[in-house]
Amino acid sequence: MHPVVDLRSDTVTRPGVAMRRAMQQAEVGDDVFGDDPTVNRLQARAAQMLGFEAALLFPTGTQSNLGALMTHCGRGDEVILGQEAHTYRYEAGGGAVLGSIQPQPLANRPDGTLDLAQVEAAIKPDDAHFARTRLLALENTIGGRAIGRGYFDEALALAKRRGLATHLDGARLFNAAAKLGMQARDLCRGFDSVSVCLSKGLGAPAGTLLLGSAEFVGRAKRVRKMLGGTMRQSGVLAAAGLYALEHNVARIAEDHVNADRLAAGLGQLPGLQVEPAQTNMVFVRVPAGKLAGLSEYLLRRGVVVLPGARMRLVTHLDVDAAGVERALAAFGGYFALT
Ligand SMILES: *Cc1c(COP(=O)(O)O)cnc(C)c1O
């Protein structure tokens, strides 16, 4: 059905026939009045599935993370997060620009975690010189790496001891859970809030859920309104999200198998340095001299990549095992030539 093997991101998936049917048949209402039964069902289902009191549907993950930051922090408060965190690096500085929240970034270690001694040292004393450190924001998966439960137990204990709220950017929480062989709810237990994307590995066209206590979600609702993220007959999108939660969670492990196969095949090619895939992402270093022309060559063979010295290749719902073989053949052809 898809003429190309698109490895740029797991966000490129298109809703299939069954998901579109669910969208077409969705019962809808005006969600500003709380009247959309499909949105309400999605939120209730996600909350129950992930072990939180409540959930709130946002149009995007960027807005859900920003909504979480602005619900946890007031003007002049501070969030501690990783240099590589999506919320710090790839969300246009929204927390600072729109929330007046000071970011305190710390270097991520090679496994994606933050050194908790550094986290503790970064917490500011209660003194008029300093911003008020309010929030610790972590991410799982981060750059395709899954972080295990033991680390979060320690991080959450530190946050609790020092009076910080906690947020998890779980855009790809289900990938992390599949990698670790855990239930997603066990992986995010203990966080005050969690953001989970429906539009990545789960394959919905849009939507991210922010989960937390009923009180937290009640306050986040005002922030979402302020940010312009409260939609009307969004049951059309929620139906896709419900379909995704019901049908596309268990299959995420297939994406990891495909990524492993992709990494193994690329590892056979001369000159490529391939990092072992942990979840659905493969990172490949391409020698500088071979980069020019690579993506055009692949594109002519129906394989789409984002070029770069350290290329990220992502598997997803719309790339099957045959697609991986096709990508490997195209890469193989290029490196045989050059
Ligand atoms: C994709 C992503 C988001 C949110 O992205 P949107 O494109 O705004 O939906 C947030 N965090 C992480 C880790 C992501 O990968």
Side-chain angles (χ1 to χ4, degrees), residues 11 59-63 65 86-87 91 139 141 169 171-172 197 199-200 208:
T11 55
T60 66
T62 298
Q63 199 180 73
N65 280 327
H86 198 279
T87 307
E91 295 177 9
E139 184 174 321
T141 62
D169 179 353
R172 297 188 177 86
C197 284
S199 57
K200 303 249 163 111
T208 292

Side-chain angles (χ1 to χ4, degrees), residues 67-142:
L69 260 58
M70 290 177 68
T71 306
H72 287 297
C73 300
R75 187 159 188 245
D77 287 350
E78 178 181 78
V79 55
I80 296 176
L81 75 189
Q83 286 278 2
E84 294 174 30
H86 198 279
T87 307
Y88 178 62
R89 200 173 175 130
Y90 302 107
E91 295 177 9
V97 176
L98 301 168
S100 299
I101 299 159
Q102 166 166 283
Q104 166 63 74
L106 298 175
N108 292 87
R109 296 186 291 196
D111 67 356
T113 61
L114 301 181
D115 180 332
L116 294 178
Q118 283 184 20
V119 169
E120 182 142 32
I123 299 172
K124 313 287 181 288
D126 183 6
D127 174 309
H129 288 87
F130 301 115
R132 287 173 301 255
T133 310
R134 276 287 301 140
L135 178 67
L136 175 61
L138 300 173
E139 184 174 321
N140 204 12
T141 62
I142 178 161

Side-chain angles (χ1 to χ4, degrees), residues 4 11 35 42 102 107 111 149 167 171 225 261 332:
V4 298
T11 55
D35 276 358
L42 170 65
Q102 166 166 283
D111 67 356
R149 183 65 229 183
H167 173 67
K225 185 69 192 167
R261 168 67 193 133

